[in-house]
Amino acid sequence: MLSRRTLLLSTGALGLPLPALARHSGALGSKFADEPLLHGLAPVDALPQPLPVTEPGRRLLNRGWLFHEGDIDTPPPVSHNDTYGNAKAGNARGPAAVNFDDSDWQPVTLPHDWASHQPFVQTANVSQGYRPRGIGWYRRTLRLDPAQRGKKLELQFGAVATEATVWINGSRAARNFSGYNGFTVDLTPYSRFGDDLNQIVVKADAVPMEGWWYEGAGIYRDVWLAVRPPISIATNGVHCDPRLIDGQWQVRVTVTLESVADAPGAQTVTVELRDPDGRLIVSDSVSAQVPALGTAEARLTLNPGTIRLWSIEQPTLYTVTVIAGEDRRVIPIGFRTIRFDADRGFLLNDRPVKLKGVCLHQDHAGTGVAVPDTLLEWRLRRMKDMGVNAIRCSHNAQAEAFYHLCDRMGFVVMDENRVFNPAPENLAQLTWLVRAHRNHPSIILWSVFNEEPMQGTASGVAMVRRMQAAVRALDDSRPVTAAMNGSFYDPVNVSQVVDVMGFNYYQGDYDGFHAANPRLPVTSSEDTSAFMTRGAYATDRAAHVMSSMDDEAADWGATHRKAWAAIAARPFVAGGFVWTGFDYHGEPTPFEWPTTSSFFGILDLCGFAKTAYDIHRAHWIDDQPVVAVAPHWTWPGREGKPVDLLVTSNTERVRVIVNRRIVGEAACDRIMGNSFTVPYAPGTLEVQGLRGGRVVTRSVHRTAGPAVALRLTPARTRVRGDGEDAMPVTIDAVDADGNHVPTENRMVTLSLNGASIIGLGNGDPNSHEPEKGNRRSLFNGLAQAILLADEGAGRIVLKASADGLRPVTLTLPRIASEPRPFVPVQPSVISIRNWRRSPATAAMPDPASRPADGDNNLWAFVNSGTPTPPDPTPQWRVYRAELPLRRRIRERGGVVRFAAVAGNARFYADGVLVAERTGRADGPAELTIPPGTRFLSVLIQSVPGTPSGITGRVSLSAE
C-alpha cells in the first residue's frame, strides 16, 4: 500500500517531473541516492521543532519597524535655546527625535541585513564581499499597557551590525560597539504608558569593520521586549552548573536578582529540575534580600541522583526551571564531563572523541547574516549529514538559536570571542558571551582570540591572562584556548598560559610542539583552507575557478585529505576545525574582483555539496557505509578521452563500474581516497563500497541529455504557517529521463503565493546577480530560493520557468502554527507632547507671546496630560508648542486633536485664532490648521478651584 508521502510524490506535488517519478516508482530517496550532487537534499517530512522558551514573559519586537538607509544630516543647533535643549534628556535631534518625520521610511521586519540588498561594487571593500555598508536608521513605535507601570521593562537586542546607538523617547539610552554580542536596554526609566506612546530609534553604523569577512549591516538578530515584576531575574542571570563530584551529580544553581522597586524586598527563589520527559526530579527553594535598585544572588545545589548523560550520539537534555515570584526562566541543561588530555585528546564522558569540526561564519546565500532560525537549523543538519560533531564559532558569538540547536542536535562547540582586548568595553563583550552561553552543554571551549599578532609578546600574554581570569570568574568548568597562527616556540607566548593550545594550520609542528610541551593539550582550531568551486573539476585561474578534485589549497593550508591525515594519525591532537563548513560572502581568496565570496567551504554558499563533502563523509561517518565519486558523468565531446576519478569511502574496498563493466577495484584508502583514470563513455558511472566481499553501498552518476524541464525540491514537505518558517528550495534542470543536468546554467524566473522569497543564490563565487527578487540563474546545474511562509493555514505555490524548458509548479501545505509571542504593531501617531507654559496673568495675554531666547526658567516645561494646579481666581496662561515637521501637513494642513483640555481655551495657529472652547470640566477639542503652520498656542483661562491646562494627549494628523 502506498504511503501518503509516496502519493504526494507520485502526483508531482513536490514539483518533480512526472517521467522521472514514474521511472523511479515515486521513490524520491532512491532517486537522490543516484544523484550524488544532490545527496542530502531530499525533503524531510517533519516540521522544525520550536526552540526552547527560556523566558516565557518576553515577546518579540521584530515587527513594525521603519528603516532608512544612509545617514541623515542633522544641522547643529545655532540659537541658544536650541543649544540648551540639545543638551537635555528627551531632546534628541534629527532622526532620533521623537517626532521626526519618518513617513517615507521603508517598513521592515527583523531580522534585517540591509547589506544583503546591495549591488556588488568594485570600489567597496573586498573582504566585505564588495557590498557597500554605511549607516542605517530604524524607528519603532511601542505602546505599553498602563498595567505595566512599575515593572522592569527591558529591550533585548540579539545583535546589531556594527556599532549601535539606541534612543528611547528622545534620550540616548544605550550604545554597543560590536556587531556580534547581544545587549540590553533598560526601558523602565524612559517608559510612557497607554496612549502616551514610546519611540525606539536605533542607529546602526556599519562603517566600522570588526572582521575581514562579510559582516552584514543592521538589526540582523531578534529583538525582544521583556516585562518583569519589580524584583526579577536578571538577563542571563541564571547559571546552572552540573558537576560530577565524588561520583555523584550535583547541579549548582546561581540566580542573580535585580530590583526596580522603591524599597528593599525579600524574594523566594524556587528551582525545579525535570527529566527529558518533563517529570519533576528534585526541587528546592532559597530566599534573598534584594536592595532597592540593586542586585542580589541566590544559590542552591540540587542532587538529581541517577541521570542520563548528554553526548554527541544521544544529546539528552534536562530542564531547570527557576521561579522568582511572577518571573521565571526555563534552562535546558545536559549532564556530561569534558576533559582535554595532553596524550589522548578530547574526552567526553571519559571517552576519547575526535573533534570532526568545521569553522562557521553566520551568513547564507540571499539572506546575508539575517538567517532565520529554521534556515540555521537546516544548515546545521547539512553539517550533521556530513558527520560533523564539532563547530567553531568563527570568529564571534552566534545567534541564540545556534546554541540551542547544537545542544539538541549533538554538536560540541568552541565559542569564540571577537575582539582581543581586556579594555572594559571589550571585556564586557567577553563576559556577556560567557554569561549568555555557559548553560549550554554543547560548549566545550572558550576561545579568547583568533590569530593575533601580539600572541608572542609579553603584552599578549598579559592580555590573555586578564581575559582568561574574566572567563574563569564566570565559568571554570571549561578550558580557555586561543587560536594561534605562529609564535608558539617564542620565549614568551600565549600557549604558556592557555588551557588548550589551538593550532591554526602549522600541521608540520604538531609533533615538535607536543614534544616540547608534553603536558599541554592541543587541538587544531583551524585547518585546511582548501579551494573548490562547486561543480567545477578543472582549475581556470583566469576565470577565477578552482577545481573540486581536492588539489588546490592556500599556501598556508593543505588539501582536505592531507589536513585530516595529519590530525587523524595523532591521538594527542584533539581534532580539527576545517576552514570552512560553508562558503561565505567576502574574503574571496585567492582572487579579488569580480569574485565576491570564498572558495573555502565544504559546501557552497547555498549548502550544495562540493567534493569535500564526500571526502569528509568518508573521514567522519562511522555508523553507516558511504561511497562517492567525483566528477559527474556528463562530458559531451570527450568520448573516449581519459577522466580522472576520485572515489571516497569508509568501506574496505571500492569498485568502479562503467556501463556495467568493472574498470577498477582497490583496497579503500579512507583518508586519501582512491584515484582511477577511465575513458569517458556516456551511460552510467557506478562506484561500490565493499565489506567482506559484499557490496554494502553504491553511488551512481548517469550521463544527462539536454535539459528539458525544471525541478523544484523543497527541504521539507510542509512548512509552519507562523510567519517565521524559512525553507530552502533547490532548483535544478533535468533531461527527458529525469536525470539531473550538472552543466545547465539557464536563468530561472520564479513566482510565488503563500510565502515570500527572502533570498536567492546559486553558489557561484563570481556571480553578481542580485540575491533578492525572483530571478536567478543555475550555476553548474543548481540554484536555491529561500522561502518565508505566510501566517495561517493554506498552500504555498511556487512556479519556476526558464527559456526552452518545461516549467514546474511546487505545491506545499502550510500548517497553521502559533507564532512566537510578539508585540503588536502600533501605528505611528504624531504626538505634540512638549509645551512651554507662561506665567499666570489675570488679563488675557497676547497669543503671540513666547519665551525669550535664553529663558529656560520663566516659562515652564510641561507635557500634555499634566494638569496645572487649581487657582483661587481665574488666571490666563499661554501653552506654546512647535508642531512636529511633517512634509504633507506643512503642504496641505492638518488636524490637531486634544483628548482633554480643562478651562476656557482659545487655539491659535501661528498667532491666528482657529478655534475656541469653553467649559469647566475636561473635554476634547479638535482644530484644523492651515498649511505651513509652525507653532500652536493655546490660551487657557482657569476656573477657580479646578485644575486647568492641556490634561490629555494631543495628536496631529493630515486632513
Side-chain angles (χ1 to χ4, degrees):
M1 180 177 179
L2 288 176
S3 68
R4 178 177 180 273
R5 174 170 160 78
T6 304
L7 286 170
L8 280 171
L9 295 173
S10 62
T11 56
L14 294 182
L16 302 175
L18 292 175
L21 289 167
R23 189 163 67 86
H24 292 278
S25 303
L28 184 64
S30 64
K31 177 60 181 169
F32 271 62
D34 286 351
E35 294 179 348
L37 290 174
L38 302 179
H39 185 70
L41 296 174
V44 298
D45 190 49
L47 288 170
Q49 293 300 305
L51 293 171
V53 180
T54 56
E55 184 176 352
R58 68 177 184 170
R59 294 178 294 164
L60 276 173
L61 200 62
N62 285 354
R63 307 182 187 192
W65 291 84
L66 298 175
F67 171 69
H68 180 275
E69 182 185 335
D71 205 1
I72 297 174
D73 182 46
T74 302
V78 176
S79 71
H80 177 73
N81 269 355
D82 284 348
T83 305
Y84 181 87
N86 181 64
K88 302 303 179 180
N91 279 2
R93 297 165 57 84
V98 172
N99 277 319
F100 181 79
D101 186 3
D102 56 17
S103 56
D104 60 349
W105 287 25
Q106 172 192 358
V108 297
T109 298
L110 308 181
H112 180 243
D113 172 10
W114 89 72
S116 69
H117 296 255
Q118 301 299 314
F120 300 100
V121 178
Q122 188 171 3
T123 54
N125 183 271
V126 55
S127 296
Q128 297 285 340
Y130 294 106
R131 278 203 159 116
R133 296 170 78 215
I135 292 172
W137 289 84
Y138 296 83
R139 291 172 59 91
R140 213 277 191 187
T141 302
L142 173 65
R143 186 184 191 278
L144 295 172
D145 193 303
Q148 295 169 341
R149 194 185 302 272
K151 295 188 175 184
K152 172 65 184 287
L153 305 170
E154 182 178 86
L155 299 177
Q156 301 172 355
F157 288 84
V160 179
T162 295
E163 295 183 356
T165 307
V166 181
W167 289 265
I168 307 296
N169 294 329
S171 291
R172 187 169 57 213
R175 288 176 174 174
N176 188 69
F177 294 95
S178 174
Y180 297 104
N181 66 291
F183 64 95
T184 61
V185 181
D186 186 2
L187 187 61
T188 316
Y190 311 101
S191 299
R192 303 170 182 171
F193 299 90
D195 290 335
D196 196 3
L197 303 179
N198 299 269
Q199 191 67 51
I200 304 167
V201 181
V202 180
K203 179 183 179 182
D205 183 353
V207 174
M209 287 179 276
E210 294 182 87
W212 50 96
W213 56 86
Y214 175 84
E215 299 184 275
I219 309 176
Y220 72 94
R221 292 182 186 161
D222 290 337
V223 177
W224 297 86
L225 171 66
V227 179
R228 301 168 179 159
I231 297 178
S232 59
I233 304 166
T235 298
N236 300 323
V238 177
H239 183 199
C240 302
D241 189 9
R243 302 272 183 134
L244 185 62
I245 300 175
D246 297 329
Q248 301 294 318
W249 281 99
Q250 296 179 351
V251 183
R252 301 172 181 174
V253 181
T254 303
V255 181
T256 301
L257 300 170
E258 61 184 8
S259 173
V260 297
D262 296 330
Q267 182 63 67
T268 298
V269 177
T270 299
V271 181
E272 300 173 344
L273 176 64
R274 297 181 182 273
D275 70 11
D277 300 315
R279 291 187 291 264
L280 180 65
I281 299 175
V282 62
S283 67
D284 199 0
S285 297
V286 65
S287 293
Q289 190 74 15
V290 188
L293 296 177
T295 63
E297 283 190 347
R299 298 173 182 267
L300 54 77
T301 300
L302 301 178
N303 298 293
T306 303
I307 53 84
R308 286 177 275 171
L309 293 175
W310 184 95
S311 67
I312 291 167
E313 297 78 16
Q314 293 184 316
T316 304
L317 293 173
Y318 288 68
T319 303
V320 173
T321 301
V322 180
I323 305 166
E326 297 176 359
D327 199 15
R328 68 173 53 209
R329 300 291 184 276
V330 182
I331 312 295
I333 67 168
F335 293 89
R336 87 286 183 275
T337 64
I338 61 171
R339 181 163 59 93
F340 283 82
D341 185 89
D343 295 316
R344 302 175 66 197
F346 172 63
L347 286 83
L348 178 63
N349 300 325
D350 288 328
R351 182 175 64 88
V353 174
K354 205 72 166 179
L355 299 178
K356 305 168 181 176
V358 295
C359 300
L360 290 183
H361 282 312
Q362 58 182 352
D363 65 306
H364 190 86
T367 67
V369 295
V371 178
D373 292 348
T374 47
L375 178 58
L376 176 57
E377 180 182 23
W378 181 84
R379 284 167 58 88
L380 290 175
R381 186 152 48 85
R382 294 295 284 145
M383 297 294 98
K384 205 70 176 179
D385 290 343
M386 190 169 57
V388 171
N389 65 12
I391 296 172
R392 177 188 178 211
C393 301
S394 304
H395 302 289
N396 50 264
Q398 303 284 315
E400 180 181 355
F402 168 86
Y403 301 95
H404 287 299
L405 290 167
C406 288
D407 291 344
R408 176 188 294 175
M409 299 173 73
F411 292 101
V412 293
V413 174
M414 179 194 296
D415 209 7
E416 189 156 87
N417 173 61
R418 173 72 295 271
V419 179
F420 179 48
N421 193 334
E425 171 191 309
N426 304 114
L427 210 58
Q429 296 165 11
L430 173 62
T431 56
W432 165 83
L433 179 141
V434 178
R435 286 183 185 276
H437 303 154
R438 60 187 172 179
N439 293 321
H440 292 281
S442 55
I443 294 178
I444 61 168
L445 280 168
W446 302 113
S447 174
V448 295
F449 75 59
N450 173 73
E451 297 185 355
E452 288 292 337
M454 295 177 68
Q455 61 198 350
T457 67
S459 293
V461 170
M463 292 164 69
V464 167
R465 289 182 62 242
R466 284 156 176 76
M467 298 175 77
Q468 184 180 56
V471 171
R472 287 177 174 167
L474 298 171
D475 175 36
D476 62 359
S477 69
R478 300 170 176 91
V480 172
T481 188
M484 298 183 67
N485 62 333
S487 303
F488 32 78
Y489 295 128
D490 289 0
V492 176
N493 71 84
V494 302
S495 74
Q496 297 161 352
V497 293
V498 295
D499 303 312
V500 177
M501 161 61 185
F503 274 95
N504 276 19
Y505 311 100
Y506 288 90
Q507 291 94 336
D509 285 283
Y510 292 158
D511 294 332
F513 184 86
H514 180 57
N517 301 272
R519 296 185 179 180
L520 180 61
V522 301
T523 187
S524 167
S525 43
E526 184 173 320
D527 54 74
T528 309
S529 274
F531 304 131
M532 289 188 184
T533 300
R534 193 262 306 154
Y537 299 97
T539 293
D540 183 348
R541 288 182 175 266
H544 293 199
V545 173
M546 304 300 276
S547 167
S548 283
M549 296 301 286
D550 198 31
D551 48 16
E552 296 283 0
D555 294 340
W556 60 86
T559 64
H560 291 272
R561 292 168 292 167
K562 289 180 179 178
W564 184 248
I567 294 167
R570 292 165 173 81
F572 66 85
V573 179
F577 294 87
V578 174
W579 190 263
T580 51
F582 289 82
D583 278 341
Y584 51 94
H585 295 89
E587 197 176 16
T589 308
F591 305 114
E592 293 187 351
W593 183 268
T595 305
T596 63
S597 64
S598 75
F599 294 82
F600 295 117
I602 298 172
L603 308 178
D604 71 12
L605 269 169
C606 299
F608 298 140
K610 303 180 188 179
T611 305
Y613 171 84
D614 288 313
I615 290 171
H616 288 294
R617 280 174 60 83
H619 291 166
W620 294 343
I621 292 178
D622 298 317
D623 59 354
Q624 61 177 317
V626 298
V627 69
V629 60
H632 58 71
W633 204 237
T634 300
W635 301 100
R638 293 186 58 180
E639 290 78 5
K641 296 180 180 179
V643 176
D644 294 329
L645 305 180
L646 176 62
V647 180
T648 53
S649 181
N650 61 1
T651 58
E652 295 170 0
R653 295 186 65 79
V654 293
R655 179 182 295 159
V656 180
I657 302 171
V658 175
N659 294 332
R660 301 184 180 181
R661 184 173 66 87
I662 297 174
V663 296
E665 185 172 324
C668 178
D669 186 337
R670 184 175 182 180
I671 300 294
M672 300 305 294
N674 295 84
S675 297
F676 299 88
T677 301
V678 301
Y680 174 61
T684 60
L685 169 65
E686 179 178 350
V687 289
Q688 299 175 342
L690 296 85
R691 287 179 179 167
R694 185 172 62 90
V695 176
V696 292
T697 183
R698 58 167 47 88
S699 181
V700 178
H701 289 308
R702 288 184 172 84
T703 302
V708 300
L710 291 172
R711 173 167 57 181
L712 298 173
T713 305
R716 286 182 269 116
T717 60
R718 49 195 176 135
V719 295
R720 287 199 315 242
D722 60 0
E724 292 190 281
D725 191 2
M727 183 186 68
V729 174
T730 299
I731 310 164
D732 75 326
V734 295
D735 68 8
D737 292 325
N739 296 311
H740 167 70
V741 183
T743 56
E744 184 57 59
N745 295 299
R746 238 171 288 208
M747 176 64 72
V748 177
T749 301
L750 303 170
S751 63
L752 181 64
N753 290 309
S756 56
I757 298 173
I758 61 171
L760 298 164
N762 61 13
D764 181 1
N766 302 311
S767 175
H768 289 187
E769 295 175 9
E771 295 190 14
K772 308 293 184 180
N774 70 333
R775 287 170 56 81
R776 189 69 175 185
S777 61
L778 301 175
F779 172 64
N780 291 336
L782 297 172
Q784 182 181 78
I786 312 294
L787 310 188
L788 182 68
D790 293 346
E791 283 192 60
R795 296 191 310 165
I796 292 175
V797 180
L798 176 65
K799 298 180 180 180
S801 61
D803 289 346
L805 300 180
R806 188 169 67 244
V808 64
T809 298
L810 167 68
T811 301
L812 293 171
R814 194 178 66 237
I815 310 302
S817 301
E818 282 294 320
R820 292 185 292 175
F822 65 92
V823 179
V825 175
Q826 177 66 46
S828 181
V829 175
I830 309 169
S831 296
I832 305 174
R833 192 174 191 275
N834 300 319
W835 298 80
R836 297 297 303 274
R837 185 183 65 197
S838 73
T841 59
M844 187 177 75
D846 183 349
S849 299
R850 57 172 293 173
D853 188 27
D855 174 10
N856 297 300
N857 303 98
L858 187 60
W859 283 55
F861 294 86
V862 296
N863 292 327
S864 54
T866 304
T868 299
D871 297 310
T873 59
Q875 297 289 310
W876 285 94
R877 294 178 178 85
V878 179
Y879 296 79
R880 191 172 191 275
E882 183 176 5
L883 293 185
L885 175 63
R886 290 295 187 274
R887 284 182 292 274
R888 184 177 177 186
I889 295 173
R890 287 283 170 90
E891 294 169 359
R892 304 181 185 180
V895 176
V896 179
R897 294 179 176 87
F898 291 79
V901 177
N904 300 309
R906 297 167 65 88
F907 302 89
Y908 296 83
D910 286 343
V912 177
L913 181 68
V914 292
E916 293 185 70
R917 179 191 177 279
T918 59
R920 297 176 58 89
D922 282 4
E926 182 175 302
L927 52 140
T928 300
I929 58 171
T933 302
R934 296 184 59 83
F935 291 94
L936 191 66
S937 298
V938 186
L939 276 61
I940 299 178
Q941 184 186 40
S942 64
V943 176
T946 302
S948 63
I950 300 171
T951 54
R953 176 190 183 206
V954 184
S955 63
L956 171 66
S957 61
E959 283 189 304

